[in-house]
Every structure is written in structure tokens, then in C-alpha cells.
């Protein structure tokens, strides 16, 4: 975590995207540090960025122009920039150019949009290759089918895991019974050894054979 006097910046990688979480007061003093951070990330080959600013308390009029510059730079390199916030502070600041940015109220909304975007991209690829077009309703239906298949797969895996645990428990109990039986057999042999040495056990076996 990089920490300044008025702004907390958390940087992490989530999949193919770099996430920056900003919290506190966002003023002109922090703009150079943010710009430098993006420049370094772009030089390192990163192209997908998400900036979560829901915890921004206040911001001055230099923040939006900075993000406009960053947006142009990132798009110029074939990348994308997505913003997350729904607080009134930033909504008012970004209102004049809100259509220029990809803004989401929370991380869940962004994830859903990314999934629909993937389906849409696959639909475009299919259209180019086959001439067919996948509508939004078909994409949603496909998503539901995939979710159902995934849930079913998880259920099967859990059932198989539970069955394997039961079998492992039964095997352990069987091994324990086998060990106990072996011990009892050895103890029985030790008890019968004196009778065998005296010949009593052999006489008893002969008498039993004659009766048969």
C-alpha cells in the first residue's frame, strides 16, 4: 500500500486487470503520484485498469481532467479504464463527462458487465465466422445454462467427495478390525500353546475326528 497524507492508495492484480482502490481526500497534490503510477503500470505492459473510488471523501476540480488524460492515454495503447463509485461527491464532479467513462456503482456490477461483455465478444466472433448473430436474450439464456451446469457439476463433485470420505472411513474401520483380529488370534495362539505342548489339543482333535 502506498500512503500519502490525505489519500490512501491500494494496488492489486485481479485476473488480467490492475485494481487501484483510493480512499480519503483526492486533491491536486495527489494527482502527480497517481499519474506517475499509471505511467509505470503502462510501461510494465498493463492495459486493463479498474479504479475504485467509492471511499473518496472529497475531490477538487483537477481530478476529472486527470482521468480524462489517463483515459485517452490508456485507450491510445489499446487498453481500458473502468471506474467504480456511486457517492455524490464524484457523481457531481464527473457529471459533465459521465458518458465518456465506464462507471459502475460497485464491483458486482462490473463483474456482471464483464461477463456479458465476454458473451457479447464471443457473439461477435461467431457472427464474423458464421454469419449468425447472438441476441442479448440468447446470451442471457446461455449464461443461465452455463450457471446451471456449473452448479450441477459442483453438486456432483460434493457428492463424490462425501462418498469418498465415507469409503475412506469404512476402510480405516476395516483395517482397525483386521489389526484387532490379528492381535486376538495371536493371544489365542499363546493361550493354546501350553495345551498343544502337552498333547491335550491333539487328543481332543483326534476324539473329535472319531466322532465324525
Amino acid at each position: 500500500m502506498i500512503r500519502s497524507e490525505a489519500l490512501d492508495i491500494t494496488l492489486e492484480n485481479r485476473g488480467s486487470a490492475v485494481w487501484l482502490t483510493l480512499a480519503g481526500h483526492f486533491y491536486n497534490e495527489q494527482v502527480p503520484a497517481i499519474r506517475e503510477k499509471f505511467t509505470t503500470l503502462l510501461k510494465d505492459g498493463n492495459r486493463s485498469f479498474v479504479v475504485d473510488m467509492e471511499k473518496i471523501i472529497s475531490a477538487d476540480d483537477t481530478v476529472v481532467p486527470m482521468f480524462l488524460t489517463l483515459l485517452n492515454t490508456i485507450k491510445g495503447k489499446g487498453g481500458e479504464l473502468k471506474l467504480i463509485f456511486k457517492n455524490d461527491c464524484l457523481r457531481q464532479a464527473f457529471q459533465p463527462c459521465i458518458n465518456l467513462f465506464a462507471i459502475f456503482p460497485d464491483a458486482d456490477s462490473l463483474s456482471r458487465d464483464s461477463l456479458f461483455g465476454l458473451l457479447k465478444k464471443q457473439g461477435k466472433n461467431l457472427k464474423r465466422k458464421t454469419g449468425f448473430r447472438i441476441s442479448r436474450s440468447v446470451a442471457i439464456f446461455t449464461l443461465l445454462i452455463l450457471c446451471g451446469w456449473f452448479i450441477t457439476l459442483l453438486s456432483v463433485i460434493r457428492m463424490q467427495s462425501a462418498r469418498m470420505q465415507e469409503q475412506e472411513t469404512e476402510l480405516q474401520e476395516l483395517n482397525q478390525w483386521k489389526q484387532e483380529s490379528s492381535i486376538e488370534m495371536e493371544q489365542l495362539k499363546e493361550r493354546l500353546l501350553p495345551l498343544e505342548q502337552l498333547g491335550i489339543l491333539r487328543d481332543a482333535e483326534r476324539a473329535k475326528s472319531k466322532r465324525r
Side-chain angles (χ1 to χ4, degrees):
M1 178 182 289
I2 303 173
R3 197 174 279 276
S4 65
E5 182 179 357
L7 184 67
D8 291 338
I9 307 172
T10 302
L11 177 66
E12 59 182 328
N13 290 317
R14 298 187 188 179
S16 61
V18 177
W19 283 61
L20 287 89
T21 302
L22 309 182
H25 301 277
F26 199 167
Y27 298 137
N28 181 58
E29 290 77 7
Q30 287 83 35
V31 168
I34 299 295
R35 187 182 293 115
E36 181 180 358
K37 177 58 64 178
F38 272 94
T39 300
T40 302
L41 291 170
L42 286 168
K43 287 182 179 179
D44 291 340
N46 298 285
R47 291 296 180 267
S48 181
F49 302 93
V50 178
V51 183
D52 188 344
M53 296 188 289
E54 180 57 27
K55 295 182 180 180
I56 291 295
I57 300 173
S58 59
D60 63 16
D61 56 3
T62 62
V63 173
V64 176
M66 182 207 71
F67 276 107
L68 282 171
T69 302
L70 286 176
L71 180 64
N72 291 330
T73 301
I74 293 171
K75 283 190 173 182
K77 294 182 178 295
E80 60 178 356
L81 174 64
K82 297 179 180 180
L83 307 179
I84 296 177
F85 63 82
K86 59 179 179 293
N87 55 64
D88 293 335
C89 168
L90 293 178
R91 286 175 60 188
Q92 294 178 1
F94 279 85
Q95 187 61 40
C97 53
I98 195 170
N99 293 328
L100 300 177
F101 292 94
I103 301 175
F104 301 86
D106 49 46
D108 291 337
S109 299
L110 187 146
S111 299
R112 288 194 296 269
D113 179 80
S114 298
L115 184 57
F116 280 121
L118 178 61
L119 290 173
K120 185 176 181 181
K121 181 179 179 181
Q122 294 297 330
K124 288 182 178 179
N125 292 334
L126 182 64
K127 181 181 177 182
R128 285 197 296 267
K129 293 179 180 179
T130 66
F132 291 101
R133 179 181 179 183
I134 297 180
S135 65
R136 184 179 181 86
S137 59
V138 174
I140 294 175
F141 178 75
T142 304
L143 176 60
L144 293 175
I145 293 295
L146 291 175
C147 289
W149 176 83
F150 183 70
I151 293 173
T152 302
L153 180 62
L154 285 179
S155 300
V156 172
I157 292 174
R158 289 178 180 176
M159 291 174 61
Q160 291 293 334
S161 178
R163 180 56 183 163
M164 289 177 63
Q165 290 178 356
E166 291 178 359
Q167 292 177 343
E168 184 177 356
T169 301
E170 293 175 357
L171 181 60
Q172 291 176 352
E173 292 176 352
L174 182 60
N175 289 332
Q176 184 178 357
W177 176 83
K178 182 179 179 181
Q179 293 175 358
E180 293 175 353
S181 299
S182 298
I183 294 173
E184 291 178 358
M185 288 292 294
E186 292 297 329
Q187 292 176 347
L188 183 59
K189 288 180 180 179
E190 292 178 359
R191 293 174 183 174
L192 295 175
L193 183 60
L195 298 177
E196 186 178 356
Q197 292 174 347
L198 293 172
I200 297 174
L201 186 60
R202 288 194 296 272
D203 293 340
E205 290 178 352
R206 288 173 185 170
K208 186 177 180 180
S209 298
K210 288 180 179 181
R211 287 196 297 270
R212 291 180 181 175

